């Protein structure tokens, strides 16, 4: 599914990409790559609030969960 979203982003079909990423996130809300894609598609569609929220969630998931010595 991620590949389809990326494909739609690549060809400029942002609405379709947006819907694909939403579907992915319905089944797994912790899918960081889908959050990144949703943020990009939302931004390209002018949905700035959705884009900001998706970026913030993706950033939280990217934060390291363990500390190295």
């Amino acid at each position: 599914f991620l590949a389809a979203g990326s494909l739609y982003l690549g060809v400029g079909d942002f609405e379709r990409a947006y819907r694909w990423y939403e579907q992915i996130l319905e089944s797994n809300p912790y899918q960081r790559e889908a959050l990144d894609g949703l943020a990009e598609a939302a931004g390209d569609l002018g949905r700035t609030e959705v884009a900001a929220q998706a970026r913030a969630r993706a950033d939280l998931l990217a934060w390291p969960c363990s500390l190295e010595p």
Side-chain angles (χ1 to χ4, degrees):
F1 287 126
L2 284 172
S6 295
L7 175 70
Y8 290 129
L9 278 178
V11 297
D13 192 345
F14 306 121
E15 187 63 45
R16 192 170 280 175
Y18 184 91
R19 289 194 309 261
W20 271 102
Y21 290 123
E22 278 189 316
Q23 286 181 337
I24 294 167
L25 292 166
E26 282 179 15
S27 64
N28 182 0
Y30 303 104
Q31 174 60 265
R32 183 170 171 245
E33 292 84 2
L35 286 165
D36 287 333
L38 182 69
E40 185 175 344
D44 289 330
L45 291 168
R47 299 173 185 166
T48 55
E49 185 64 30
V50 173
Q53 289 176 0
R55 280 191 189 96
R57 287 176 52 205
D59 288 347
L60 284 173
L61 293 173
W63 194 73
C65 295
S66 63
L67 298 175
E68 295 183 28

